[in-house]
Structures are given as C-alpha cells and as structure tokens.
Amino acid sequence: MTSREGPTDRSEDELLVDELAALARMAGASERIVRLVARMLRKNVHEVDLIVPLPPEETLRHVVRVLEQAGRGIEPTVAEGTADRSTVRGLVSAGIGGLNSVVVTALVSMSGETETDVRLRAAALEGLIRQRAGERTAERLAMALDQPS
C-alpha cells in the first residue's frame, strides 16, 4: 500500500463510525454527537469460512470482483499480504434502504493449487431494531463467492 491510509489500515469500528457520521452530516445532524453514540452501539459480526475451487490468484480477483459489485463508494482494498495470504476489505450497503454500512473483510489463504480458503467477516452497527446486517451480508456474499465466474 502507499502511505495514504486505506480501509484495510483502519479498524472496523472506525470505518463504521465514520460511515454513520457521514450519513448524519448529509441529514444535517450533529456529526460529533452521532460519533459519540455510534461508539456505544453494539456490532453484529458474522464470519463464514469457505473453500473456493479456484487457485489463490483467481480467488483473490473473484473476491475483489464480488465486493466491487456489492460495495458502494469505495473500491475494495487489498492489503499487502504474504505469498500465501491476502486481506481484502470493502464497504457494503445493507439493511432497510441500504442505509446500514457493513465492513466486509476477506482473508484469502492458499490451501492448495486448485482451491483457496476464504474467511469472510462482515460487521455492522446495530441500533434499537436488530437488522442483523453483518450476518445477512456475510451469508449473501458467501453465496456469491461460492459461484466462481
């Protein structure tokens, strides 16, 4: 990565708080108060482990493609990894009206020449009404990753 900070350099919590604050700013609410309240909200986190029947480099491209299609406003970022492991992170809209931001992190690990392990983690802030956005997003993206193109 370059010296510019990207989504893989920041914590899930920071990204989720920033997204909620941006939404508040667009609605004319106090960004400072929203940031304070957002830090107190609980997170809905869900992880899915899958084996993708593609070589590691193809799997990495497939993960980026799926996150680009599901994401909004931010390109998925691949963190510098080792030869056998890479991390991809992006933001996805979920929930009612797509107003709930979900941080999706995919850890892509080589498990063989023709298959790759992928750990998909989706995290979203939960308000008073539980939408399970992290859980639903992880399951939806896992189904998309299970369908190599």
Side-chain angles (χ1 to χ4, degrees), residues 130-146:
R130 291 185 47 101
Q131 295 183 36
R132 293 181 180 80
E135 186 176 332
R136 290 180 179 162
T137 301
E139 295 296 334
R140 179 171 50 96
L141 293 179
M143 285 192 300
L145 286 172
D146 219 14

Side-chain angles (χ1 to χ4, degrees), residues 104-121:
V104 179
T105 306
L107 179 61
V108 180
S109 305
M110 187 169 83
S111 62
E113 290 183 24
T114 59
E115 62 184 26
T116 309
D117 292 330
V118 176
R119 169 162 284 174
L120 197 59
R121 176 183 170 93

Side-chain angles (χ1 to χ4, degrees), residues 5-149:
E5 188 177 83
T8 55
D9 299 325
R10 298 170 55 209
S11 75
E12 284 174 345
D13 294 337
E14 288 177 67
L15 288 167
L16 291 169
V17 167
D18 286 350
E19 285 295 304
L20 197 55
L23 185 61
R25 185 174 45 248
M26 287 188 321
S30 170
E31 188 177 334
R32 198 173 82 184
I33 291 172
V34 169
R35 283 181 183 281
L36 182 66
V37 171
R39 286 186 177 89
M40 291 186 260
L41 295 174
R42 60 186 168 201
K43 267 195 313 190
N44 175 248
V45 178
H46 191 69
E47 292 186 1
V48 178
D49 291 320
L50 24 127
I51 297 173
V52 179
L54 293 171
E57 287 181 14
E58 263 186 74
T59 300
L60 188 58
R61 286 193 297 272
H62 182 54
V63 168
V64 169
R65 197 171 36 250
V66 166
L67 284 178
E68 282 175 342
Q69 291 170 354
R72 58 153 179 56
I74 184 172
E75 292 182 26
T77 305
V78 180
E80 292 180 17
T82 62
D84 62 345
R85 181 177 279 196
S86 296
T87 303
V88 182
R89 181 173 276 174
L91 285 165
V92 175
S93 294
I96 298 168
L99 294 175
N100 199 353
S101 296
V102 182
V103 176
V104 179
T105 306
L107 179 61
V108 180
S109 305
M110 187 169 83
S111 62
E113 290 183 24
T114 59
E115 62 184 26
T116 309
D117 292 330
V118 176
R119 169 162 284 174
L120 197 59
R121 176 183 170 93
L125 294 176
E126 289 280 321
L128 294 174
I129 300 171
R130 291 185 47 101
Q131 295 183 36
R132 293 181 180 80
E135 186 176 332
R136 290 180 179 162
T137 301
E139 295 296 334
R140 179 171 50 96
L141 293 179
M143 285 192 300
L145 286 172
D146 219 14
Q147 312 277 324
S149 50

